[in-house]
Amino acid sequence: MAQSEIDAIRALLGSKPRPVGWSERRQRINEVGSTWPVASDVTCEAVDCDGVAGEWSIVPSSEPSRVLLYFHGGGYCSGSIVSHRRLVTEAGRTARTRTLAIDYRLAPEHPYPAAHEDALTAWRFLRRQGIAATSIAVGGDSAGGNLTLGLISRLRAAGEELPACAWLVLPWTDLTMTGMTLATKDAVDPLIHKAYLDELADAYAPPSVDRRDPLVSPLFADLKGFPPVLIQVGSAETLLADASRLAEAAGTANVDVTLQVWPHMIHAWPVWNARLEDGRRALAEAGQFIRVHIQ
């Protein structure tokens, strides 16, 4: 069943080639990400997070005083609240929290550190709403996982309270692109290839930016003192090594870290949870993790 379902998602993704222009790429990711709408019991509400666009969501069984703050993927150059709405709202359901999804500024119009600044603004907006840090989980996929790690690093450096936990879905942690699976998984990953990542990295972190900077490539960060971390990645991903090496670095720093490698799953598979049982299972695992650590 898992294989036939993921094959259907592969067919969906392969039905049209990736466009060339940034505007067309953004339209395409919104299209494939929102193939299946949110559930009928989800309430969504746009919110201005001190100048950064966001969206609250909640289902009737969720606790509004607990929040999942979520940063979407898309290589810092595409992706949006629209493309990730089904993922975020169902994650909130399993975690039994409200969610706050963030539309941070995108490259190349807004290169590093614009997205990081927006992430910090969103966090401080949440805190000013009276939400305790221990009642906030922070999560993201791909570039959004990178943003999650960067936010926690910035909070730690500023001596501020940290979130209860971090949920990282297929995180892009190494913009120097040294992961072995960029080559070994190239033939099986339908979405992410090194040439494409190079293009995204060039748009996001131009030559003046050191890509070994821990805020750009959190694989090289000192993770000491980080909250508990759940990392989920598919076995068919070129970013598998980004996830596994991050888990090793976190463990070495004595962080409570869990790495889950999902057989046959491709980049961003939880996005299509409406028609993918392993997507729903991954969100259920994430929800349980969040419920254990959030207060």
Side-chain angles (χ1 to χ4, degrees):
M1 176 65 74
Q3 190 65 60
S4 63
E5 289 184 340
I6 198 63
D7 285 347
I9 299 302
R10 283 177 174 272
L12 169 68
L13 298 174
S15 61
K16 294 181 182 178
R18 178 181 282 124
V20 174
W22 296 118
S23 177
E24 292 80 7
R25 286 178 178 178
R26 291 166 186 169
Q27 182 178 351
R28 174 64 173 153
I29 194 173
N30 281 350
E31 176 188 330
V32 298
S34 60
T35 301
W36 293 285
V38 300
S40 59
D41 63 342
V42 174
T43 299
C44 296
E45 178 186 356
V47 58
D48 179 348
C49 304
D50 295 333
V52 179
E55 182 176 85
W56 290 113
S57 79
I58 194 167
V59 298
S61 59
S62 292
E63 171 51 59
S65 66
R66 299 175 179 177
V67 176
L68 168 62
L69 174 62
Y70 197 86
F71 304 115
H72 65 78
Y76 288 114
C77 296
S78 61
S80 69
I81 289 171
V82 172
S83 63
H84 284 64
R85 187 175 277 140
R86 174 82 193 196
L87 183 157
V88 174
T89 56
E90 290 305 304
R93 183 192 306 278
T94 64
R96 298 174 193 160
T97 67
R98 272 197 298 173
T99 68
L100 179 59
I102 300 300
D103 255 345
Y104 53 86
R105 286 171 290 171
L106 299 176
E109 299 93 332
H110 304 284
Y112 174 85
H116 286 270
E117 293 169 350
D118 290 353
L120 187 57
T121 296
W123 169 267
R124 290 180 172 160
F125 166 81
L126 255 186
R127 298 287 281 117
R128 280 196 292 274
Q129 304 307 302
I131 308 295
T134 53
S135 297
I136 303 172
V138 182
D141 63 287
S142 198
N146 185 313
L147 270 184
T148 297
L149 293 164
L151 172 62
I152 296 171
S153 288
R154 285 172 180 253
L155 293 173
R156 184 187 57 182
E160 298 186 30
E161 290 184 86
L162 303 182
C165 58
W167 169 40
L168 310 175
V169 189
L170 37 112
W172 187 19
T173 66
D174 177 14
L175 271 70
T176 69
M177 261 74 82
T178 59
M180 183 181 300
T181 52
L182 287 174
T184 60
K185 295 293 182 178
D186 183 77
V188 295
D189 189 331
L191 282 176
I192 304 299
H193 305 281
K194 186 176 183 300
Y196 180 53
L197 290 176
D198 284 335
E199 184 181 359
L200 296 175
D202 287 345
Y204 168 67
S208 60
V209 176
D210 179 5
R211 293 183 187 172
R212 286 188 62 89
D213 183 324
L215 289 176
V216 177
S217 295
L219 177 64
F220 307 117
D222 176 7
L223 304 177
K224 184 178 179 181
F226 267 47
V229 176
L230 171 64
I231 305 171
Q232 296 178 315
V233 65
S235 70
E237 293 199 58
T238 53
L239 290 180
L240 176 57
D242 278 47
S244 61
R245 289 183 297 160
L246 179 74
E248 181 181 4
T252 300
N254 296 308
V255 175
D256 178 352
V257 59
T258 301
L259 172 65
Q260 296 179 348
V261 181
W262 290 74
H264 310 296
M265 292 301 107
I266 63 173
H267 195 71
W269 86 95
V271 167
W272 299 285
N273 61 82
R275 292 296 184 274
L276 191 57
E277 182 180 354
D278 277 6
R280 295 189 293 275
R281 288 178 53 226
L283 294 184
E285 294 275 354
Q288 181 179 20
F289 167 80
I290 292 169
R291 293 197 308 272
V292 166
H293 295 290
I294 205 167
Q295 296 180 6

